[in-house]
Amino acid sequence: MGRAPCCDKASVKKGPWAAEEDAVLRAYIAAHGTGENWIALPRKIGLNRCGKSCRLRWLNYLRPNIRHGGFTDDEDRLICSLYASIGSRWSTIAAQLPGRTDNDVKNYWNTKLKRRLLGGGRRGIRYALPQPRLILASPAGYGAASSALERMQLSVQRRHGIPQETTFCGSLAAPPWPAQQSLLSPAATSYSGIGTSTSYSGFWSHIQTSTYTGGASVQDQGAGWESSSGGTTPLSTSTTREAAAGIDSSSSTPTATSSVTFGGDMEDELDMLLRQIRCFEENDSQLVGGGAAADGSAGSWSSCSTPGVDSLFQDYVQQGFGQ
DNA sequence: AAGGCTAGCAACCGCACCAGA
DNA sequence: CTCTGGTGCGGTTGCTAGCCT
């Protein structure tokens, strides 16, 4: 049974906000603040709007000190770096950019940065990215897949300056990197609380606590993982092998997606990540050449880099970007 | 000049989380 | 412990202005 809608969608006004509506909402919040119930607010002030719509309008547009457009190069770099590391947690990324909203950052990424850095674009066929033949058991489906792929590609490009057509985006039929399951499982998109809870599970916990230790062949991939939290592999070997081969494994439900409890506070980890990004910016030249040597040798990876994630990239790059 | 295409932005939708009853 | 309502978030879509042919 679904839950009751927050408002009568048939009777509330939808679409663009009029200046008068903005004025009413702004005046009320200026006088009473936003501490009250958003659902009840529109009725109280005579707006024929859904409470969620009012909240969104306030947060994304009417709130003081909001900046729209005109992203700086520094902001570009920060967005790219954070996206490559933590994915599409727009609110977390936006929190590092004063005056920016998650919606703004998201739109900016989708319309400008993504295309500039990764090629392709939005809305499927109109600017179609070459779609990798990676079929997931995950109900999150392609959303999570494309996001993870973008992040891998972005990070590899950032580190090695590799033209996009030579990275895996255009040729990923059977990617040799080992982490499809942990990157793309349903848990990969969820976490509980920032600054309010110490329990965290999902992609971040995997990259913090799991290390890929080998397994160059597809058959070995499932066995290549070691988990520092107690030795439970986050991978299902059967689904991993099938996914890596581009086979629909929807009939084999992932069975080993054990939740790994994250040992630290998310804000601390974000701090660490920001330090890494600054370190990365300062030592960019040290990173170029690591792992991407023409002879396929590993090269050296900077200590600035994010643990776990880099082991994936390193392994992937060592194997020739999916060739 | 007109029609189609593209890019950018605003807003909606649905899900997950959380707190309180 | 369960249920319910409020909130936050990410993904997606609709609309419109500008550009191109």
Side-chain angles (χ1 to χ4, degrees), chain A residues 10-283:
Chain A
S11 65
V12 298
K13 184 182 174 191
K14 288 158 69 170
W17 279 65
E20 307 84 66
E21 292 176 308
D22 282 348
V24 170
L25 182 57
R26 189 184 281 120
Y28 181 84
I29 292 176
H32 300 92
T34 60
E36 295 181 39
N37 184 340
W38 281 108
I39 302 298
L41 186 146
R43 202 172 29 230
K44 193 181 298 184
I45 62 178
L47 276 180
N48 188 26
R49 288 278 184 176
C50 174
K52 288 176 73 170
S53 180
C54 293
R55 174 183 163 272
L56 207 62
R57 183 66 177 171
W58 170 256
L59 291 177
N60 288 337
Y61 203 81
L62 300 177
R63 202 157 42 114
N65 305 321
I66 292 288
R67 291 187 295 145
H68 292 289
F71 281 79
T72 66
D73 289 346
D74 285 345
E75 287 175 316
D76 281 7
R77 276 194 293 274
L78 190 54
I79 292 169
C80 291
S81 299
L82 288 171
Y83 182 87
S85 296
I86 66 174
S88 56
R89 299 209 186 101
W90 302 118
S91 58
T92 306
I93 295 173
Q96 307 306 316
L97 302 168
R100 302 296 187 186
T101 69
D102 54 352
N103 209 36
D104 256 1
V105 173
K106 179 172 59 179
N107 282 334
Y108 186 59
W109 169 260
N110 283 331
T111 59
K112 292 211 178 91
L113 294 179
K114 185 172 165 182
R115 241 178 315 116
R116 191 195 306 167
L117 296 169
L118 303 179
R122 65 171 197 173
R123 295 184 189 179
I125 198 166
R126 276 169 89 176
Y127 323 86
L129 276 168
Q131 299 285 13
R133 285 177 51 242
L134 184 62
I135 301 169
L136 305 170
S138 159
Y142 240 129
S146 61
S147 175
L149 290 170
E150 285 165 14
R151 288 160 56 192
M152 295 286 275
Q153 184 182 8
L154 177 59
S155 185
V156 169
Q157 284 182 212
R158 278 181 59 83
R159 286 156 199 272
H160 304 286
I162 295 159
Q164 67 182 62
E165 55 269 23
T166 66
T167 63
F168 64 78
C169 184
S171 61
L172 180 63
W177 99 72
Q180 290 89 352
Q181 188 66 47
S182 61
L183 282 170
L184 307 177
S185 70
T189 59
S190 68
Y191 62 94
S192 56
I194 294 175
T196 58
S197 168
T198 56
S199 171
Y200 171 77
S201 65
F203 175 70
W204 191 255
S205 66
H206 287 148
I207 65 177
Q208 289 297 321
T209 59
S210 303
T211 305
Y212 185 68
T213 58
S217 70
V218 167
Q219 287 77 6
D220 290 337
Q221 286 172 0
W225 284 87
E226 290 176 356
S227 171
S228 60
S229 68
T232 309
T233 172
L235 293 175
S236 158
T237 55
S238 61
T239 56
T240 299
R241 187 168 63 189
E242 286 164 2
I247 299 167
D248 186 351
S249 60
S250 57
S251 60
S252 352
T253 306
T255 55
T257 54
S258 59
S259 176
V260 182
T261 299
F262 182 59
D265 185 274
M266 185 69 177
E267 286 184 348
D268 291 341
E269 298 308 317
L270 190 57
D271 270 353
M272 181 191 73
L273 178 57
L274 289 167
R275 283 199 300 275
Q276 288 174 358
I277 290 167
R278 281 192 281 275
C279 179
F280 172 82
E281 300 294 350
E282 290 164 8
N283 300 285

Side-chain angles (χ1 to χ4, degrees), chain A residues 287-317:
Chain A
L287 295 169
V288 173
D295 63 358
S297 61
S300 61
W301 287 67
S302 167
S303 59
C304 300
S305 48
T306 305
V309 169
D310 286 332
S311 70
L312 301 179
F313 291 136
Q314 184 175 13
D315 191 64
Y316 187 76
V317 169

